[in-house]
Amino acid sequence: MTKQIALHLLLGLVWVLLTDDVNLKNLVIGLFVGGVILWYYQRARGSQAYFSRLLAGVKLCLVLLWEQLLSSLQVARLVLSPRGTIRPGIVAVPLTVTRDGEITTVANMVTLTPGSISIDVSDDGRVLYVHTIDVQDPQAIVDSVRRFEALVKGVTGS
Amino acid sequence: MSEILTSLLILTGAFFLLVGTLGLLRFPDVYNRLHSVGKASTLGVVSTLLASVVYFWAQQSTLSVKQLAIVVFLYMSSPVGTHMMARAAHLIGIPLAKETQRDDLKKRRGSVPANE
């Protein structure tokens, strides 16, 4: 995986050097051309792992942006509603991802999603403690964590 | 066209910054306040930065990479900061608001009072 990322960046860099004009536009074009070359190369070898993971990464970013917008709107609704009825609480969510990087990413995504921020991870890394602004439906929090775990696993390939 | 988009982005940013700040005043305890700052205010700053990107794209047709880099770093640092503040608050035993319904973390630490 690391080798393929390095190769992709190298191909992009070669394009920039060949065009003899160092700017962002050329780098983007170079990365695109490098991607096409890598794609053909990998198709010949019968493996598409790099690109499915690249796509999973793009999907993860888009989902994150959308969730951030939703959560900000939810905060806005709570702040602007005249009756301030909130039922906060801390819920323990068991994790299925195991690597440190995966846990960090999931915890950060939880912080950006509607109604929940991650407070702590148990020492063995199996349980994520989430503070939620509305504890009425704990299953919804577990569901959203499961969804993020699936997205992150798509990127890391575990 | 670009003026309308720029204005819309700035207004959206201002709205979310206002909401995030109002949340600081309205929510009862540090954990709920972090909700409003960590989400609404982040989006407010990002929206304002995007307005700047659109403006300079239209005016000077240059892509402001600096602003986009700030957005990326903000998305990396903001959730970490929010998480660290919430964790530190819970570790030193800052009490949860009296509206709090449950605290699964307390069972593990066994020392944090559930209400004020």
Side-chain angles (χ1 to χ4, degrees):
Chain A
M1 188 65 189
T2 322
K3 218 171 88 183
Q4 271 146 339
I5 293 174
L7 195 60
H8 198 167
L9 287 177
L10 189 71
L11 285 170
L13 203 66
V14 167
W15 179 273
V16 172
L17 292 176
L18 285 177
T19 50
D20 204 19
D21 185 11
V22 182
N23 60 35
L24 189 75
K25 199 180 82 186
N26 277 340
L27 186 62
V28 171
I29 296 173
L31 285 177
F32 178 75
V33 173
V36 172
I37 294 170
L38 268 180
W39 187 72
Y40 270 106
Y41 172 66
Q42 292 201 327
R43 204 177 61 162
R45 292 177 61 204
S47 155
Q48 291 296 314
Y50 177 60
F51 283 94
S52 59
R53 282 162 80 170
L54 207 63
L55 275 180
V58 172
K59 194 177 156 198
L60 185 113
C61 291
L62 290 178
V63 168
L64 198 61
L65 287 175
W66 178 242
E67 292 285 339
Q68 155 107 54
L69 187 67
L70 287 184
S71 69
S72 300
L73 286 174
Q74 190 218 26
V75 167
R77 194 170 51 81
L78 281 171
V79 168
L80 298 177
S81 70
R83 284 167 287 111
T85 47
I86 55 169
R87 299 163 187 281
I90 297 175
V91 183
V93 183
L95 285 169
T96 60
V97 289
T98 46
R99 291 183 218 162
D100 282 352
E102 291 173 343
I103 294 172
T104 309
T105 314
V106 169
N108 281 355
M109 288 181 83
V110 163
T111 301
L112 287 172
T113 47
S116 53
I117 52 179
S118 56
I119 294 215
D120 207 351
V121 180
S122 64
D123 295 333
D124 56 2
R126 292 227 181 104
V127 185
L128 181 69
Y129 294 93
V130 176
H131 183 275
T132 168
I133 215 159
D134 185 6
V135 83
Q136 291 303 87
D137 188 8
Q139 190 56 39
I141 296 154
V142 177
D143 288 346
S144 79
V145 171
R146 288 283 168 277
R147 208 172 124 233
F148 295 144
E149 285 179 328
L151 282 168
V152 171
K153 277 177 189 169
V155 178
T156 56
S158 67
Chain B
M1 182 60 207
S2 70
E3 270 176 36
I4 297 172
L5 194 57
T6 311
S7 323
L8 271 179
L9 281 168
I10 289 182
L11 283 175
T12 315
F15 171 74
F16 280 120
L17 282 170
L18 177 71
V19 163
T21 314
L22 280 176
L24 267 184
L25 295 169
R26 279 206 67 182
F27 286 150
D29 64 0
V30 62
Y31 309 98
N32 289 300
R33 285 173 181 161
L34 279 172
H35 276 275
S36 88
V37 180
K39 291 165 194 165
S41 298
T42 310
L43 189 67
V45 175
V46 168
S47 184
T48 315
L49 283 166
L50 287 182
S52 148
V53 172
V54 171
Y55 179 80
F56 285 106
W57 177 271
Q59 293 289 314
Q60 302 166 7
S61 61
T62 52
L63 184 60
S64 2
V65 187
K66 253 181 271 179
Q67 276 95 322
L68 291 176
I70 296 174
V71 171
V72 171
F73 285 121
L74 204 62
Y75 268 106
M76 286 198 280
S77 59
S78 157
V80 177
T82 308
H83 162 72
M84 289 318 287
M85 277 185 267
R87 183 166 187 272
H90 208 283
L91 272 173
I92 63 175
I94 291 179
L96 292 144
K98 60 183 183 300
E99 291 93 339
T100 305
Q101 310 279 315
R102 61 189 271 189
D103 185 0
D104 289 354
L105 196 52
K106 188 184 78 175
K107 286 175 207 149
R108 187 161 72 94
R109 295 230 173 81
S111 61
V112 183
N115 45 43
E116 287 161 321

